[in-house]
């Protein structure tokens, strides 16, 4: 079936012929489809964040008795569900949430991470790269922090000690402070409010260097070979193909030495990306970032027999009515199926959206408007059905702040 979303008549006919609209199209197009769903009295499900344009449809959706359920994938999605379960349980016994830290990452399984980025792409490379250009706001140990756009890789959390067996680092994820309101928490009563993205250690150093070299710029169309692109970014003279010349050019651009570990890592990474081979064909891309997205999608894709991994980890600092302070954790680690090729990313994004769709069809979701899965009528049955399919959370409780991540996360 083909559908032109700009064809209002055809779009309305398609929406009217559906029981529920499930939108997995590019995020900027969701509001247009949601508008059609409201117009035709159909509920809609999407895994993407609620944009201001989507939020503006809230009153119309409620007036039309339509549910537009957003943020029902992995992150956002399952993370909301597991967080709200713990938060609502704490509130029900009169406890106060003083700290909330959430980490999530779509990664390679450890045995498949043997490249300089420690990463392969189970979702859009462009999405991974553009996420690193976002600004971020968060609160840790009573101090509110801001990371400006373009500084996220440089200001990484160099050590995120979730499990002893994983060498994680992390990046702050957008505006964490807004989630206090979304989760019904009082930011002024909290020491810490943080959401972050997990990567294996070493990822951010390479991406930060690529940013400094202008490889992630959103300006200027590009039509050249990968080697020509690299040469243009490091001011390499024509005919300079020797690794020592490339090392000197990189060192000059990054204000370091040719023998530095960073330069060595970058040369290895660019070799893995196929950027040191001058015989590769030219690529045409609308921006430098899209050029690099094309290269990374080609060079860092999963091959037969490899699998990805998803890790989601929440930590809550909760003050009980008695005054006792407990640290609660809720975590899930899921792996892709190397034999079938099904990825953990596809499963943890697609299955929650599918369950939410079924809940709407069964009439189990009665809340109308533009919503997230932060209410019990959604997250309770959804978590139960996920668990029945093998996607369950492990919860722990320990007493005392010395067990808390806010005491042990290392921020560069």
């Amino acid at each position: 079936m083909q559908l032109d979303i700009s064809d209002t008549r055809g779009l309305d006919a398609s929406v009217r012929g559906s029981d529920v609209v499930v939108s997995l199209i590019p995020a900027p197009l969701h509001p247009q489809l949601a508008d059609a769903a409201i117009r035709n009295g159909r509920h809609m499900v999407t895994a993407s964040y609620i944009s201001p344009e989507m939020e503006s449809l809230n009153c119309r959706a409620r007036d039309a008795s339509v549910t537009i359920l957003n943020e029902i994938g992995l992150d956002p999605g399952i993370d909301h569900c597991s967080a709200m379960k713990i938060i609502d349980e704490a509130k029900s016994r009169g406890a106060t949430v003083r700290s909330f830290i959430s980490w999530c990452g779509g990664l390679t399984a450890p045995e498949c991470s043997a490249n300089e980025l420690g990463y392969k792409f189970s979702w859009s490379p462009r999405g991974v790269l553009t996420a690193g250009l976002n600004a971020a706001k968060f609160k840790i140990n009573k101090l509110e922090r801001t990371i400006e756009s373009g500084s996220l890789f440089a200001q990484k959390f160099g050590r995120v000690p979730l499990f002893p067996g994983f060498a994680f680092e992390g990046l702050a994820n957008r505006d964490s402070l807004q989630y206090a309101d979304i989760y019904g928490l009082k930011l002024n009563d909290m020491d810490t409010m943080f959401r972050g993205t997990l990567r294996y250690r070493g990822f951010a150093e390479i991406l930060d260097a690529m940013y400094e070299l202008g490889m992630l710029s959103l300006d200027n169309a590009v039509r050249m070979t990968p080697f020509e692109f690299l040469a243009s970014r490091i001011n390499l003279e024509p005919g300079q193909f020797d690794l020592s010349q490339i090392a000197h050019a990189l060192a000059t651009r990054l204000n370091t030495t040719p023998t530095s570990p960073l330069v060595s890592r970058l040369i290895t990474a660019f070799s893995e990306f196929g950027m040191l081979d001058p015989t590769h064909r030219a690529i045409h891309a609308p921006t430098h970032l899209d050029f690099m997205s094309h290269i990374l999608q080609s060079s860092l894709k999963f091959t037969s027999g490899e699998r990805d991994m998803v890790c989601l980890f929440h930590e809550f600092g909760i003050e009980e009515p008695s005054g006792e302070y407990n640290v609660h954790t809720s975590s899930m680690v899921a792996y892709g199926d190397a034999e079938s090729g099904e990825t953990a990313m596809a499963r943890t994004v697609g299955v929650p959206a599918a369950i939410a769709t079924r809940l709407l069809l069964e009439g189990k979701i009665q809340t109308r408007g533009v919503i997230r899965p932060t209410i019990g009528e959604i997250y309770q049955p959804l978590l139960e059905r996920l668990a029945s399919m093998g996607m369950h959370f492990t919860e722990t409780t320990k007493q005392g702040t010395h067990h808390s991540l806010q005491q042990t996360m290392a921020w560069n």
Side-chain angles (χ1 to χ4, degrees), residues 165-411:
F166 292 123
F168 287 140
E169 66 182 27
L171 307 171
N173 187 359
R174 306 193 193 199
D175 180 4
S176 296
L177 303 183
Q178 65 176 322
Y179 284 88
D181 284 339
I182 290 171
Y183 290 166
L185 302 172
K186 296 180 180 179
L187 186 61
N188 290 338
D189 293 342
M190 300 180 71
D191 297 331
T192 297
M193 185 73 200
F194 178 87
R195 297 175 76 248
T197 301
L198 292 171
R199 295 289 181 260
Y200 292 128
R201 286 183 209 163
F203 176 92
E205 182 182 50
I206 297 294
L207 268 293
D208 185 52
M210 289 168 57
Y211 176 81
E212 292 298 323
L213 293 172
M215 292 180 167
L216 306 185
S217 167
L218 293 172
D219 299 325
N220 303 322
V222 186
R223 187 180 184 88
M224 57 182 69
T225 69
F227 182 79
E228 289 170 340
F229 180 70
L230 172 61
S232 73
R233 296 295 85 213
I234 62 176
N235 302 323
L236 200 64
E237 296 295 330
Q240 291 185 318
F241 302 113
D242 186 84
L243 288 183
S244 64
Q245 295 170 322
I246 295 173
H248 275 276
L250 279 168
T252 300
R253 284 282 281 111
L254 296 171
N255 195 29
T256 185
T257 63
T259 57
S260 71
L262 173 59
V263 168
S264 177
R265 289 195 67 211
L266 285 170
I267 288 176
T268 301
F270 291 144
S271 176
E272 291 171 344
F273 300 163
M275 299 180 73
L276 300 186
D277 185 347
T279 67
H280 281 188
R281 297 173 58 183
I283 298 169
H284 183 215
T287 69
H288 290 177
L289 185 141
D290 288 290
F291 191 93
M292 285 306 305
S293 297
H294 181 95
I295 288 174
L296 294 177
Q297 186 160 31
S298 299
S299 59
L300 295 183
K301 58 188 176 183
F302 285 88
T303 59
S304 177
E306 293 185 328
R307 59 181 185 158
D308 70 329
M309 181 186 87
V310 161
C311 179
L312 175 56
F313 190 102
H314 294 317
E315 180 192 274
F316 308 81
I318 299 178
E319 184 179 334
E320 301 295 338
S322 65
E324 181 179 88
Y325 190 95
N326 291 320
V327 175
H328 297 254
T329 68
S330 177
S331 62
M332 179 187 74
V333 178
Y335 292 90
D337 187 328
E339 185 173 337
S340 70
E342 179 189 71
T343 65
M345 180 62 72
R347 189 186 321 127
T348 55
V349 172
V351 171
I355 292 173
T357 302
R358 181 170 288 279
L359 289 173
L360 279 168
L361 289 169
E362 293 172 352
K364 301 290 178 62
I365 300 174
Q366 293 298 312
T367 304
R368 301 298 181 238
V370 176
I371 64 173
R372 300 175 176 88
T374 53
I375 52 179
E377 70 171 2
I378 301 175
Y379 74 71
Q380 288 172 353
L382 193 139
L383 288 173
E384 290 172 2
R385 296 189 191 193
L386 285 174
S388 72
M389 301 175 72
M391 286 177 274
H392 57 84
F393 284 81
T394 300
E395 298 182 4
T396 70
T397 302
K398 295 181 180 179
Q399 188 175 355
T401 58
H402 59 284
H403 292 292
S404 174
L405 277 174
Q406 66 180 317
Q407 306 297 328
T408 56
M409 291 191 314
W411 184 34

Side-chain angles (χ1 to χ4, degrees), residues 23-24 30 45-49 69-77 349 353:
S23 180
L24 299 176
H30 289 319
V45 173
T46 175
S48 297
Y49 284 104
L69 177 54
N70 303 263
E71 303 187 13
I72 188 62
L74 167 63
D75 176 4
V349 172

